[in-house]
Amino acid sequence: MTSKGFRGHLLSWVGQYLQGRTAAGCFQGTISAFKNFENGTPQGGIFSPLLFNLLVEKLVCLQASPQVQVLSYADDIAIVATGPNHVARARVMLRRLLTPCTDLGLIPNPVKTKAMAFGYVRPPDPLYINDTPVPWVHRFRYLGMLLDPRLTFFPYIASIRVKMSSRVNVIRAMAGRSCGAGDRVLRFFYTSAVRSCLDYAAPCLLTVPPSSLHPLETAPNSAIRTLLGAPLWAKCVCLRAKAFVCCVAERVVQLGVGHLPTLLRRAEAVPLAERVRQSLHQDPLLFQRQTWPSIVARTLGEHGLAHWLMAPTDLPAPAYTPPPPWRPCSVVVSLRPLPAKKSLLTPHELRREALGRIAGAVPSQAAVYYTDGSVHHLTGAVGAAFVCEGATALFHLSDGCSSTQAELVAISMALLHAEETVAGAVVVHSDSMSALQTIAHDRCIDNVRLLISI
């Protein structure tokens, strides 16, 4: 923190916050002796992630070349080396990484550290951590994904199947005849616990042939059958149509098509996006090797979304000019959260809170608009609407938009209507805290054109 310019009382406060901490363990009613913490931040402290990020930033910034990257997720650090002489590059980067670890008081664990070589018949010479060899493994689970040397993801598919099947058993237990859960609870559990396993694995499963995904169909089909209470002779195609659920292969393609353009337009994905662009122009008869960029390029081309990769980032309208800093703000955003959770308030209390906000925020001779936007949890359809005195408007948006985007579109349409019909002040009421916070924020990071128009 001192090297980053922290001085004075803040630095002293952090020092006293971290030093002199003790802890004891309690087992079967017996408390152990208190021991001092040598290092580390308080577990569960709201300030701890920021302090840890300040510490490990020195490790993540060790970038030797474009062929070697240091990736960090909390205290899980990975070195990814590609290109010619990648093993030697990884060995050099590992030695460079151990030096700042020692300076920062971080102790690498040689037992947990593993190495994996992709595309090798026999593993290369070992890497070392303080004279301890790092073993080469054929399978490794990184951030929940099981990687294999050939990147076939067949072991990962088997592990996903086991995980989904165990959670389907929970759905069967919840859907008991005597006191079972309702359809809405079962569907919510299926979406959050069963289908989430598939959604998380979608970027990896995008490269797997559709025939290899058939083992993953068993668990979702069984869950849908239990959710609908259908007999065993009912066809799975009919069950999926009734529950508005697609098959596994279609779900993987949907997620891939939805997220790949956004992923490839990120600043840190420029090298990967360039490889996908090259694959878009390659002749499939000449380049028959199936790689991740070629599969992504083919998927985007089949769905007519290849132009998304070439599209520019979200920019303001061409005629927009930012206002000078001395111009007063033309909008006032009033954020008044409820005194308690919405589920804990009675309808009478909710009505009283709403009427208090409506009555207290309206200037004289002002036009009042009420806006709302929502996403259908089954079909994914998105709509927005606004209501004012003498006018009501409904708008159907593209499927896949977020609820925040729907709320912003409703506010934008209300202001567009007011611009044409209202001469005085305008008051817009919205129940979306995220939309109002986005409008009140000084900088636009996402939905730039929509926020600028508002």
Side-chain angles (χ1 to χ4, degrees), residues 75-311:
D75 61 341
D76 197 343
I77 298 176
I79 300 175
V80 180
T82 58
N85 302 321
H86 50 274
V87 177
R89 294 174 187 269
R91 188 175 288 109
V92 172
M93 178 56 71
L94 182 59
R95 288 198 297 264
R96 289 186 58 195
L97 201 64
L98 294 176
T99 302
C101 284
T102 305
D103 298 338
L104 297 173
L106 301 176
I107 304 174
N109 192 336
V111 178
K112 292 184 177 180
T113 305
K114 309 295 179 182
M116 176 174 280
F118 297 97
Y120 275 75
V121 178
R122 292 183 300 176
D125 295 335
L127 310 176
Y128 288 90
I129 295 182
N130 299 330
D131 299 331
T132 302
V134 177
W136 294 95
V137 295
H138 295 283
R139 294 182 185 180
F140 187 74
R141 188 174 295 277
Y142 182 67
L143 300 182
M145 295 179 294
L146 190 60
L147 304 178
D148 59 278
R150 296 291 178 180
L151 290 180
T152 61
F153 297 110
F154 292 155
Y156 189 26
I157 292 176
S159 66
I160 296 173
R161 184 181 181 183
V162 173
K163 185 184 298 184
M164 294 172 68
S165 299
S166 62
R167 299 183 182 187
V168 170
N169 294 333
V170 179
I171 294 182
R172 294 196 186 100
M174 294 172 60
R177 294 182 178 181
S178 58
C179 55
D183 174 72
R184 186 171 183 178
V185 175
L186 294 177
R187 183 180 293 274
F188 179 78
F189 184 84
Y190 166 76
T191 303
S192 59
V194 179
R195 197 177 68 180
S196 60
C197 301
L198 181 65
D199 295 351
Y200 184 78
C204 297
L205 301 182
L206 190 66
T207 62
V208 177
S211 58
S212 302
L213 298 177
H214 290 165
L216 297 178
E217 295 281 5
T218 306
N221 291 340
S222 179
I224 296 171
R225 193 181 301 276
T226 304
L227 191 147
L228 297 177
L232 294 177
W233 47 262
K235 292 186 176 182
C236 296
V237 177
C238 301
L239 296 179
R240 287 196 293 264
K242 186 175 180 60
F244 298 100
V245 176
C246 60
C247 64
V248 171
E250 292 180 2
R251 180 68 181 175
V252 170
V253 172
Q254 285 179 2
L255 291 175
V257 170
H259 295 299
L260 281 175
T262 304
L263 169 67
L264 295 176
R265 290 213 301 263
R266 296 174 65 92
E268 56 269 23
V270 172
L272 183 60
E274 186 59 33
R275 294 172 59 189
V276 176
R277 288 192 192 95
Q278 294 176 359
S279 300
L280 284 171
H281 302 291
Q282 290 175 352
D283 189 349
L285 298 178
L286 299 178
F287 299 88
Q288 298 182 358
R289 183 185 176 188
Q290 298 294 318
T291 61
W292 195 87
S294 64
I295 295 174
V296 169
R298 185 179 67 245
T299 304
L300 295 177
E302 290 175 351
H303 292 81
L305 300 175
H307 64 281
W308 281 20
L309 188 60
M310 314 299 180

